[in-house]
């Protein structure tokens, strides 16, 4: 079971804070550092000092880390043209020595689009499907050949399809709760399917749909990695769990129901139940980015029991 650290910087974080978390992620033996792709804070957080761009952040971290994987849950398809995104991700992959993964979603948070003047198209899912075809098609085109694409939303003519990533294939992550279109896209394009903030029962059901979709697309269900993203709140005792829950504006009992919360033993047990229905990787949503002791505890008393 891989454990990855997943951050939400739009809630309030500087690049230096993210760098500290990424370095702790690496030093403490976690598999990867991922971040959201948002420009506007959510809920009651003040969001100060303001947003950081996902791929600019990952470019900086690519040069400051050595081992951990780096990626997004999920890059918003509404923020970037697919040809430009393919260039950005390939460049950051080169900068990291081949450690990048691309989580790509349709985009959903209309308020942030209004706040920053970003178009919010009605047909987002159809655009996402074309984006996946274009990004993966550009990377797969042999050097010296060109790539063209004629879609309803995007058209490319004789693209040199450069630059290439350092990896032979950048892993593509697709995720979500949709019962039909999401599994179909994952079955066709994804190297990993991520089920965000879902129960064990819903995860099992969705993993089954994606496996079936992969087989319909001529792949094996086991060709994909299956993962979950869950908020994490671990403490040595109930008082520490309650303190950490309060620091992120949540209740400990609610987090135990909807996330990974409690003592290390409780969290290990719940991760095991996700593993039993097919989850191979957990993205630990860490919301208090100043609490590096939290990461140390998870590394020492949760990750150590899973490795």
């Amino acid at each position: 079971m891989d454990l990855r650290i997943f951050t939400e910087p739009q809630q309030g974080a500087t690049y230096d804070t993210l760098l500290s978390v990424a370095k702790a992620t690496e030093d403490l033996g976690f598999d990867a550092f991922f971040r959201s792709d948002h420009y506007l804070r959510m809920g009651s957080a003040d969001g100060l000092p303001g947003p950081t761009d996902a791929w600019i952040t990952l470019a900086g971290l690519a040069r400051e880390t050595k081992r951990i994987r780096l990626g997004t849950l999920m890059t918003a398809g509404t923020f970037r043209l697919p040809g430009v995104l393919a260039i950005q991700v390939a460049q950051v992959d080169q900068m990291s020595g081949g450690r990048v993964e691309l989580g790509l979603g349709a985009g959903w948070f209309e308020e942030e689009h209004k706040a920053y003047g970003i178009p919010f198209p009605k047909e987002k899912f159809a655009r996402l499907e074309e984006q996946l075809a274009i990004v993966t098609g550009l990377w797969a085109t042999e050097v010296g050949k060109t790539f063209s694409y004629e879609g309803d939303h995007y058209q490319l003519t004789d693209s040199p399809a450069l630059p290439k990533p350092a990896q032979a294939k950048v892993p593509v992550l697709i995720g979500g709760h949709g019962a039909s279109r999401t599994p179909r896209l994952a079955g066709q394009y994804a190297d990993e399917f991520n089920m965000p903030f879902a129960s064990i029962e819903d995860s099992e059901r969705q993993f089954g749909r994606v496996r079936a979709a992969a087989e319909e697309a001529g792949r094996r269900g086991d060709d994909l990695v299956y993962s979950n993203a869950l908020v994490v709140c671990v403490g040595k005792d109930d008082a520490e769990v309650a303190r950490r829950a309060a620091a992120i504006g949540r209740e400990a009992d609610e987090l135990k129901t909807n996330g990974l919360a409690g003592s290390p033993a409780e969290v290990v047990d719940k991760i095991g139940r996700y593993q039993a229905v097919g989850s191979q990787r957990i993205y630990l949503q860490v919301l208090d980015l100043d609490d590096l002791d939290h990461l140390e505890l998870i590394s020492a008393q949760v990750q150590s029991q899973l490795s």
Side-chain angles (χ1 to χ4, degrees):
M1 173 66 75
D2 293 335
L3 294 186
R4 295 181 160 189
I5 301 302
F6 169 40
T7 62
E8 300 274 3
Q10 76 278 356
Q11 300 301 90
T14 65
Y15 171 76
D16 286 340
T17 298
L18 295 172
L19 176 60
S20 295
V21 176
K23 286 187 171 181
T25 298
E26 184 156 271
D27 293 343
L28 293 169
F30 293 103
D31 182 60
F33 174 95
F34 271 59
R35 60 156 293 163
S36 61
D37 188 18
H38 286 293
Y39 292 135
L40 193 66
R41 58 103 175 134
M42 302 170 195
S44 60
D46 59 25
L48 295 175
T52 51
D53 181 83
W55 285 100
I56 291 176
T57 297
L58 295 176
L61 297 180
R63 308 303 288 180
E64 297 280 359
T65 58
K66 302 295 184 184
R67 176 189 60 81
I68 52 173
R69 307 289 294 177
L70 301 166
T72 50
L73 282 182
M74 300 283 186
T75 289
T78 48
F79 290 176
R80 297 167 181 87
L81 297 171
V84 175
L85 180 62
I87 292 170
Q88 291 172 318
V89 177
Q91 183 177 7
V92 178
D93 195 52
Q94 291 174 1
M95 293 167 70
S96 72
R99 293 183 286 124
V100 159
E101 303 185 10
L102 171 63
L104 185 58
W108 62 271
F109 190 18
E110 186 173 6
E111 287 79 4
E112 70 187 339
H113 294 74
K114 292 178 179 178
Y116 286 95
I118 302 167
F120 191 69
K122 183 177 180 180
E123 293 297 329
K124 293 181 290 297
F125 203 90
R127 289 173 181 269
L128 172 62
E129 185 164 6
E130 292 191 13
Q131 289 167 332
L132 286 163
I134 292 166
V135 171
T136 57
L138 286 167
W139 290 339
T141 300
E142 295 180 17
V143 175
K145 295 186 178 180
T146 61
F147 176 83
S148 296
Y149 183 87
E150 187 67 30
D152 293 332
H153 304 286
Y154 304 102
Q155 298 81 38
L156 285 74
T157 303
D158 296 332
S159 171
L162 297 172
K164 299 301 183 193
Q167 299 175 85
K169 188 180 191 310
V170 172
V172 172
L173 288 72
I174 295 173
H177 295 251
S180 57
R181 293 189 300 176
T182 295
R184 178 178 61 79
L185 277 192
Q188 183 174 359
Y189 290 106
D191 299 285
E192 178 177 336
F193 177 77
N194 180 263
M195 189 61 168
F197 313 114
S199 69
I200 294 165
E201 295 77 15
D202 287 346
S203 297
E204 182 177 25
R205 188 177 303 112
Q206 189 72 331
F207 291 163
R209 292 180 182 129
V210 173
R211 286 182 177 277
E215 291 168 2
E216 289 175 10
R219 305 169 66 189
R220 297 180 308 149
D222 289 343
D223 287 346
L224 284 75
V225 172
Y226 297 87
S227 64
N228 287 91
L230 294 159
V231 63
V232 66
C233 182
V234 186
K236 295 188 291 290
D237 51 38
D238 288 344
E240 190 167 83
V241 174
R243 175 178 63 79
R244 288 199 162 110
I248 60 173
R250 305 280 284 271
E251 296 290 336
D253 288 344
E254 178 267 321
L255 288 173
K256 287 185 179 184
T257 299
N258 298 315
L260 296 173
S263 68
E266 287 177 293
V267 171
V268 169
D269 177 73
K270 191 164 186 182
I271 289 174
R273 284 184 276 147
Y274 277 96
Q275 187 174 31
V277 301
S279 187
Q280 299 160 280
R281 179 174 289 158
I282 301 288
Y283 292 81
L284 302 173
Q285 187 193 46
V286 176
L287 296 176
D288 184 352
L289 300 183
D290 295 316
D291 186 3
L292 298 183
D293 290 343
H294 192 196
L295 298 187
E296 291 182 9
L297 176 64
I298 296 168
S299 173
Q301 298 193 32
V302 175
Q303 182 171 239
S304 62
Q305 296 187 59
L306 298 170
S307 60

